Amino acid sequence: MKNMKKVDFLPVSKEDMDKRGWKQLDFLYIVGDAYVDHPSFGHAIISRVLESHGYKVGIVALPDWHKIDDFVRMGRPKLGVLVSAGNIDSMVNHYTAAKKRRHDDMYAPGGKGGMRPDRATLVYCNRIKEAFGSDMPILIGGVESSLRRFAHYDYWDDKIRRSILFDSRASILMYGMGEKQIVRIADKLRDGVPVNEITDIPGTCYISSEYDEQNSVLIPSYEECIESKSKYAVSCRLQYYEQNPYIGKTLVQKHGDKYLIQNPPMPPLETDELDEVYALPYMKNYHPMYEKDGGIPAIQEVKFSLAANRGCFGSCNFCALAFHQGRIVTSRSDESLIKEAEEMTKMSDFKGYIHDVGGPTANFRGPACKKQLTLGACKNKQCLFPEPCKNMDISHKKYLNLLRKLRAIKGVKKVFIRSGIRFDYLINDKDDTFFYELCKYHVSGQLKVAPEHISDNVLKYMGKPENSVFNKFSDKFYKINEKIGKKQYLVPYLMSSHPGSTIRDAVRLAEYLHEHNINPQQVQDFYPTPGTISTCMFYTGIDPFTMKKVYVPKTPHEKSVQRALLQYRNPENYKLVYEALTKIGRTDLIGYQNRCLIRPPKGDILSNNQKKNRRNDNGKAINGKGSFGKNKGRTQDRSRKSEKRGNKSGVSRNHRR
């Protein structure tokens, strides 16, 4: 029985091929993640989709890139080689926002780091050419390729790099989710079409020596982007404007004497198509070969979760989702999700808890408005920023109906929602039914939300609503919990040093945290990852939508100061917090009153009058040692121990999906 289970995974060796009676693969898939046959992993979906169309696919996961042995162990594939760096850009996977090397990798056996190379897509493509020659079709995809498809700013090199299609010397780049693209490419290759003639498929990029001037938009070239930051900002804006599968135009970017051609995006999968993808025969686990190493940690996040939707019309500037999955939300049917949940209850290690029902944004179940179904998302408008569009359909009825059905399944004790809830969407729903049931049934004591900041100056550069919207949501959350007799708390995701954020903005955020008794566990420095508008601002100091200058905190020291202010309670941050408060003239926040963030430094000479009259904000005398009065804010006060841990997942939030 054990051997039969191994055969059910796609082949990873010549022996596996022999068991299936295969003499040659159609496609070899090289991937920078461990082989996990679960639909939360891109390589699992693409390989199973190909299999469902009759193609023979073999998986080489985390190959030793120092030599070609792993690349050739299943022989030369008939049609081509697929390459993906994995679920996360390899540089984001390897380095923190401070450019420090990470020691672990949740997508590798036992969580061990260092099992994939930096810039994995490029390294793998070089080895493939060495193994099979320059005539082998190489098809690159996944997050790393998708977000680096144009000339892009690279944070780790601190320079503009060419499109990854040029640097990898691959044949075709597939951007976005890829299910439709890969099948169309595979069919053409099977029918004998040369790979350099496959140029008409949406959601793909290719290199050409010419382009159609009548039906294309020429964006600033690679060379122009290097020479001019304003040209780079224009390039980023035009890229975002044309990411429309229905009316978007072909984009062209010159690199030297060649052109990168990006066809318009592939239309998103419709509900029945999504259902078919998630109904494929996944093993829902990592390959047994990893058992001896302790398995693959990433499976724990998704094994008992349901991926209910794709896409996000929230369009935060620091998030790459709009550039990868797109702004049009599509969802699986209730029937598909219920069937998967019922199958989940039969798993031997299922304890009755569905950990999540969501996606990029849990409470989006369809397009923002009907117009998106035929015209796509608006080119120069956002659905929720600066305020909800009047044409947006704000309703949680479909999502609520799904959650009720899931709760009723035999064997299900609790259904949680852990992926992001867009509070600005929820608070504008006139029907409170979902909000009440969310608090009553789907929160496990804490609800994680992402206000990111409280300074309206910073929020506008993030593409997030004004802080008053979060305050309104927070007040309502606690009122509902009071009515239903529960003590539950909001745990906010916060970001420091985003473009536009000054020290004064960081101090305002620290004051807010103090006032509301929030000791944040989830704090993350802004991470300039490829393919986001915020990264464009970071590099250029320009908002590409307005072409106006933006203040950017860039030095490591200023970043440390802004982060320290978010965790001002940590004694290790005292000097940085003191420096910030004195620098901007906010010494009123250094003292013994409740409103103060920190006490005066030891040895600071106080006048006799100050010593005699040290009182808190309520007028009560403070003892010789001083004290912080207990704040009555309702948001959970996290321990200092958890505060020091920071963002434990180690991965930038905008690259998690």
Side-chain angles (χ1 to χ4, degrees):
M1 187 70 180
K2 189 174 181 181
N3 288 336
M4 283 296 292
K5 187 174 182 180
K6 286 184 179 179
V7 172
D8 287 338
F9 283 87
L10 293 174
V12 298
S13 66
K14 196 71 172 176
E15 291 74 22
D16 288 349
M17 291 174 60
D18 292 341
K19 290 176 183 178
R20 291 181 173 235
W22 292 2
K23 299 299 182 183
Q24 184 181 24
L25 298 174
D26 290 318
F27 290 100
L28 174 66
Y29 199 139
I30 307 293
V31 62
D33 290 337
Y35 178 23
V36 182
D37 195 26
H38 186 284
S40 290
F41 293 76
H43 61 266
I45 287 182
I46 296 300
S47 58
R48 289 298 185 183
V49 166
L50 282 171
E51 180 190 45
S52 72
H53 284 79
Y55 293 100
K56 299 181 179 71
V57 185
I59 306 285
V60 173
L62 289 170
D64 180 353
W65 71 92
H66 299 96
K67 50 190 177 181
I68 66 171
D69 296 22
D70 283 347
F71 295 82
V72 299
R73 68 181 182 222
M74 285 189 279
R76 182 183 181 90
K78 181 180 180 181
L79 299 179
V81 182
L82 312 178
V83 179
S84 170
N87 270 15
I88 300 174
D89 183 279
S90 58
M91 299 301 285
V92 178
N93 181 279
H94 284 168
Y95 300 96
T96 69
K99 300 184 180 180
K100 294 181 180 179
R101 186 81 183 194
R102 303 188 199 276
H103 299 295
D104 54 5
D105 182 349
M106 63 190 298
Y107 295 94
K112 181 182 177 181
M115 296 188 70
R116 78 185 86 202
D118 286 357
R119 310 194 187 283
T121 301
L122 305 185
V123 175
Y124 293 157
C125 286
N126 285 335
R127 282 291 173 262
I128 292 163
K129 287 185 177 294
E130 182 181 346
F132 301 118
S134 59
D135 60 336
M136 173 61 69
I138 301 178
L139 315 174
I140 60 174
V143 168
E144 182 165 281
S145 293
S146 186
L147 301 182
R148 295 175 179 268
R149 59 189 185 265
F150 293 100
H152 58 280
Y153 171 71
D154 184 88
Y155 176 59
W156 304 272
D157 282 352
D158 191 26
K159 69 177 186 181
I160 301 296
R161 289 183 66 99
R162 298 193 302 174
S163 163
I164 196 172
L165 187 55
F166 278 90
D167 284 347
S168 67
R169 297 177 296 147
S171 310
I172 298 175
L173 183 154
M174 295 174 287
Y175 70 92
M177 301 307 286
E179 292 99 340
K180 291 183 178 180
Q181 293 97 306
I182 189 59
V183 172
R184 294 190 191 181
I185 293 171
D187 289 348
K188 285 179 178 287
L189 291 172
R190 180 199 59 199
D191 294 342
V193 179
V195 69
N196 62 349
E197 294 181 14
I198 303 175
T199 61
D200 60 345
I201 297 175
T204 64
C205 299
Y206 61 95
I207 295 171
S208 177
S209 57
E210 58 185 13
Y211 72 98
D212 181 356
E213 296 183 28
Q214 296 294 324
N215 299 298
S216 303
V217 174
L218 183 66
I219 67 176
S221 69
Y222 164 65
E223 289 78 13
E224 287 176 314
C225 289
I226 290 176
E227 294 172 1
S228 169
K229 290 186 175 181
S230 62
K231 291 275 187 174
Y232 182 75
V234 170
S235 172
C236 291
R237 182 179 73 242
L238 292 174
Q239 291 166 31
Y240 266 77
Y241 279 173
E242 299 303 331
Q243 295 312 304
N244 187 317
Y246 303 114
I247 61 173
K249 295 180 180 179
T250 297
L251 289 177
V252 179
Q253 186 176 53
K254 192 175 183 182
H255 287 61
D257 60 352
K258 300 288 184 181
Y259 297 96
L260 173 77
I261 313 291
Q262 179 199 265
N263 291 326
M266 181 68 75
L269 298 184
E270 296 181 2
T271 295
D272 59 340
E273 294 173 318
L274 268 178
D275 288 351
E276 289 177 7
V277 166
Y278 282 87
L280 294 172
Y282 305 99
M283 297 301 293
K284 301 290 181 72
N285 209 343
Y286 52 78
H287 194 283
M289 64 183 169
Y290 304 122
E291 202 67 59
K292 65 182 186 301
D293 299 309
I296 309 302
I299 191 65
Q300 301 305 320
E301 294 282 333
V302 298
K303 188 173 184 180
F304 300 119
S305 297
L306 298 171
N309 57 37
R310 281 188 185 176
C312 181
F313 52 77
S315 301
C316 299
N317 287 338
F318 52 81
C319 180
L321 274 165
F323 204 51
H324 182 60
Q325 289 194 12
R327 293 170 58 191
I328 302 172
V329 175
T330 56
S331 299
R332 294 166 60 187
S333 68
D334 289 5
E335 292 73 21
S336 171
L337 290 160
I338 291 166
K339 182 178 179 181
E340 184 177 351
E342 289 174 341
E343 292 172 352
M344 200 180 286
T345 64
K346 300 173 185 177
M347 294 182 181
S348 59
D349 51 347
F350 181 70
K351 305 299 183 184
Y353 301 98
I354 295 177
H355 296 160
D356 188 29
V357 182
T361 299
N363 54 328
F364 291 170
R365 285 290 288 165
C369 65
K370 293 180 180 179
K371 186 184 77 169
Q372 288 189 353
L373 295 172
T374 54
L375 297 176
C378 295
K379 176 182 287 191
N380 55 356
K381 293 181 181 179
Q382 294 187 28
C383 301
L384 284 164
F385 174 81
E387 56 188 23
C389 175
K390 63 181 181 180
N391 295 320
M392 186 164 57
D393 178 20
I394 302 177
S395 173
H396 289 81
K397 290 180 179 179
K398 291 182 179 179
Y399 191 35
L400 180 60
N401 188 48
L402 168 64
L403 293 170
R404 286 172 173 172
K405 291 176 182 177
L406 293 171
R407 294 201 308 259
I409 294 175
K410 184 179 180 181
V412 172
K413 298 177 182 177
K414 192 87 172 180
V415 179
F416 295 117
I417 298 174
R418 291 182 178 174
S419 53
I421 288 283
R422 280 299 294 232
F423 63 83
D424 48 343
Y425 182 77
L426 175 54
I427 199 64
N428 282 288
D429 189 344
K430 295 178 181 179
D431 185 348
D432 290 341
T433 307
F434 171 76
F435 208 157
Y436 272 88
E437 293 201 17
L438 169 70
C439 295
K440 187 173 182 179
Y441 298 112
H442 305 292
V443 177
S444 57
Q446 301 174 5
L447 178 64
K448 294 180 180 180
V449 288
E452 304 294 356
H453 215 284
I454 59 87
S455 168
D456 290 345
N457 174 60
V458 180
L459 291 168
K460 72 179 179 182
Y461 291 115
M462 291 179 162
K464 301 282 285 185
E466 293 183 351
N467 184 52
S468 59
V469 179
F470 177 69
N471 288 335
K472 183 179 177 182
F473 170 81
S474 178
D475 289 343
K476 194 163 187 177
F477 174 83
Y478 287 108
K479 286 178 182 177
I480 289 175
N481 276 282
E482 187 177 348
K483 285 184 179 180
I484 64 177
K486 286 197 168 190
K487 284 190 176 182
Q488 300 189 124
Y489 305 93
L490 291 177
V491 178
Y493 286 111
L494 298 168
M495 185 183 296
S496 61
S497 302
H498 186 276
S501 178
T502 65
I503 295 294
R504 292 187 181 277
D505 292 314
V507 169
R508 290 191 193 101
L509 177 52
E511 286 185 277
Y512 183 92
L513 298 176
H514 185 70
E515 178 187 348
H516 292 80
N517 201 26
I518 304 171
N519 194 352
Q521 177 184 9
Q522 299 287 352
V523 174
Q524 180 174 302
D525 289 336
F526 168 68
Y527 201 155
T529 56
T532 74
I533 291 297
S534 295
T535 296
C536 174
M537 293 184 201
F538 175 86
Y539 169 65
T540 64
I542 299 170
D543 180 341
F545 295 130
T546 65
M547 296 304 291
K548 294 181 179 179
K549 290 184 178 181
V550 180
Y551 175 78
V552 179
K554 279 195 173 183
T555 67
H557 182 70
E558 182 175 356
K559 290 181 179 181
S560 297
V561 170
Q562 292 210 23
R563 184 183 177 94
L565 282 162
L566 269 65
Q567 296 178 321
Y568 65 88
R569 290 181 176 89
N570 188 337
E572 295 177 4
N573 292 333
Y574 180 88
K575 288 184 179 179
L576 292 174
V577 175
Y578 183 82
E579 174 192 329
L581 296 177
T582 54
K583 183 176 182 179
I584 67 169
R586 291 302 308 274
T587 54
D588 58 303
L589 297 177
I590 304 172
Y592 297 95
Q593 289 80 16
N594 286 349
R595 65 187 298 271
C596 294
L597 300 181
I598 57 174
R599 300 178 188 177
K602 291 181 179 179
D604 210 33
I605 299 175
L606 295 174
S607 69
N608 290 333
N609 188 52
Q610 284 177 306
K611 289 180 179 179
K612 288 180 181 179
N613 296 289
R614 286 186 300 184
R615 297 177 182 274
N616 63 23
D617 291 340
N618 296 320
K620 185 177 180 181
I622 298 175
N623 61 30
K625 295 182 180 179
S627 99
F628 286 112
K630 187 176 181 181
N631 196 295
K632 294 183 179 180
R634 295 171 298 185
T635 307
Q636 187 182 32
D637 187 6
R638 312 294 295 171
S639 69
R640 284 183 178 172
K641 182 178 179 182
S642 67
E643 181 182 65
K644 291 179 183 180
R645 289 198 300 262
N647 178 12
K648 200 156 189 218
S649 71
V651 176
S652 175
R653 289 198 296 279
N654 52 325
H655 258 67
R656 283 185 192 166
R657 304 177 182 96

